[in-house]
Amino acid sequence: MKFAIIAAGEGSRLREEGILIPKPLIEIGGMTLIDRLIFRAKRYDFNQVCIIVNDIYPELAQWFENKDYGINLKLIVKSTPGSMHSFYELSPYLRDDDFILTTVDPVYTEESFRNFIECIHIHLQADGIMAATNYVDDENPVWILTNADMQILAFPESQLGSSLVSAGFYYFKPHIVDLLDKAMQQGMTRMRQFQRFLLKQRCSLMACNVGKVIDIDHKSDIAQAELLLNN
């Protein structure tokens, strides 16, 4: 299985609050966000890590110079309009194996990730599995509506009785990349549009409640993430 990381955002909200370091290089629990993800992929025996970073901050590409993480790493340096376009840039590496796709933003415990991996092993027939959380701290969350078996029925525009929101990371079978191509051709620009498109294509999508997840969007999120990992 491969591990794909989208780390190409501008981090504009953090910069407005005085955090000038690029988001992937912010340290939580003594480790940068990007390194935490890479070492997690190595620890769980993923065969390759594919990363996209933007070209706005040269220090992002420089971060990987002369580093040996002990895992096969592919790096793309390119600014994109959003996460779906970043996913598309990573897609040439993701057509031949199952993969986990994540933004660099979410911080969660090892127990949360183990639970997610267990969900993958349980739902072998699923086309995709979305990490979900009951902890809502996003201004515009992606709500997830499921049945009693945690099969995703819809990604509604508003809460509509659901208590789950997207936690920012996903598991996909490789054939999903072909549907990504179709979605891009239809002019879709956001990951939530793509997720709804997958349901329209009759893909089997499951939700996995991974517990509390802190999305690093604001300065206050950094302290909250530190507390989560310390506890």
Side-chain angles (χ1 to χ4, degrees):
M1 195 187 306
K2 297 185 178 183
F3 198 93
I5 305 171
I6 296 173
E10 296 181 13
S12 55
R13 285 174 288 189
L14 285 165
R15 294 183 73 82
E16 289 170 0
E17 296 173 6
I19 306 295
L20 302 182
I21 187 170
K23 186 189 291 189
L25 303 186
I26 291 174
E27 288 194 8
I28 306 287
M31 187 179 296
T32 64
L33 292 173
I34 191 69
D35 279 4
R36 182 178 302 280
L37 290 171
I38 295 170
F39 284 119
R40 179 172 286 133
K42 180 185 177 184
R43 190 158 56 250
Y44 285 84
D45 294 323
F46 286 77
N47 57 52
Q48 188 178 73
V49 176
C50 311
I51 307 171
I52 181 168
V53 299
N54 64 51
D55 55 16
I56 301 172
Y57 308 118
E59 56 266 47
L60 284 176
Q62 293 167 5
W63 180 258
F64 299 97
E65 292 180 1
N66 304 316
K67 274 193 173 69
D68 183 5
Y69 289 96
I71 188 170
N72 188 322
L73 191 150
K74 301 293 184 182
L75 179 67
I76 297 173
V77 181
K78 184 175 183 178
S79 294
T80 66
S83 57
M84 185 172 164
H85 286 81
S86 294
F87 181 16
Y88 184 73
E89 293 296 331
L90 288 167
S91 65
Y93 297 113
L94 307 176
R95 296 180 181 274
D96 60 351
D97 200 356
D98 295 8
F99 60 94
I100 284 179
L101 175 72
T102 182
T103 59
V104 78
D105 306 53
V107 175
Y108 43 87
T109 65
E110 283 301 308
E111 181 182 7
S112 292
F113 192 71
R114 285 195 301 270
N115 289 343
F116 189 66
I117 294 295
E118 184 177 345
C119 279
I120 294 172
H121 292 154
I122 291 172
H123 300 292
L124 295 176
Q125 302 305 314
D127 298 303
I129 300 175
M130 314 296 178
T133 178
N134 296 110
Y135 182 73
V136 184
D137 71 339
D138 196 295
E139 294 91 342
N140 187 24
V142 178
W143 292 100
I144 302 174
L145 186 65
T146 72
N147 62 17
D149 296 322
M150 296 295 281
Q151 182 173 4
I152 297 175
L153 304 177
F155 297 100
E157 293 288 353
S158 57
Q159 188 170 2
L160 288 179
S162 172
S163 63
L164 291 173
V165 298
S166 173
F169 55 105
Y170 324 85
Y171 159 83
F172 288 123
K173 296 281 180 62
H175 68 264
I176 291 297
V177 176
D178 294 330
L179 295 176
L180 175 65
D181 293 341
K182 291 182 180 179
M184 292 290 290
Q185 290 167 10
Q186 292 182 23
M188 296 181 197
T189 59
R190 305 190 68 188
M191 278 297 292
R192 63 186 65 194
Q193 292 175 307
F194 179 58
Q195 292 170 47
R196 291 175 184 136
F197 177 71
L198 292 180
L199 289 179
K200 290 180 179 178
Q201 299 299 307
R202 300 185 182 279
C203 291
S204 172
L205 302 181
M206 305 297 297
C208 177
N209 191 337
V210 297
K212 190 172 184 178
V213 176
I214 305 295
D215 221 30
I216 306 299
D217 288 323
H218 298 282
K219 187 175 181 179
S220 60
D221 295 329
I222 298 173
Q224 289 292 321
E226 291 277 4
L227 284 173
L228 176 65
L229 295 184
N230 288 337
N231 289 336

